[in-house]
Amino acid sequence: MTENIRRLFKLMDHNTKEEALVCLKKEFNLQNRKLIIDGWILGGLIPEAYQERTVKLFQNLLRKQQALKAK
């Protein structure tokens, strides 16, 4: 599932990535942006209990991104 998270993150544009980081920080009560990007997303160290919710968040953000581009 970590590969899926990494793939979804790479599909995001800059604004969507920023929104994703804000969502993850809020959802999982995190403070460290570098930990999220380097450890969780790129490093594949996201806790298993958070992986499914992260995928859903990323999918929703990508849908929103696509809808904005379609306008």
Side-chain angles (χ1 to χ4, degrees):
M1 191 168 306
T2 56
E3 283 298 321
N4 192 25
I5 292 168
R6 196 174 295 125
R7 181 184 60 80
L8 292 170
F9 191 75
K10 287 180 181 180
L11 291 173
M12 295 177 187
D13 62 24
H14 176 75
N15 292 334
T16 305
K17 285 180 180 179
E18 291 300 319
E19 190 174 352
L21 294 174
V22 170
C23 287
L24 289 175
K25 286 171 79 173
K26 184 176 179 182
E27 182 77 20
F28 302 120
N29 194 30
L30 300 168
Q31 303 301 317
N32 191 332
R33 173 188 170 92
K34 187 172 175 82
L35 169 71
I36 297 169
I37 295 173
D38 294 343
W40 279 27
I41 297 170
L42 300 178
L45 300 175
I46 188 167
E48 192 171 330
Y50 298 161
Q51 290 179 12
E52 186 175 340
R53 179 67 183 139
T54 300
V55 168
K56 288 179 184 178
L57 283 169
F58 283 12
Q59 288 172 337
N60 289 337
L61 289 169
L62 282 167
R63 283 187 198 105
K64 181 179 171 184
Q65 174 182 299
Q66 292 296 5
L68 291 173
K69 285 184 179 181
K71 288 185 178 180

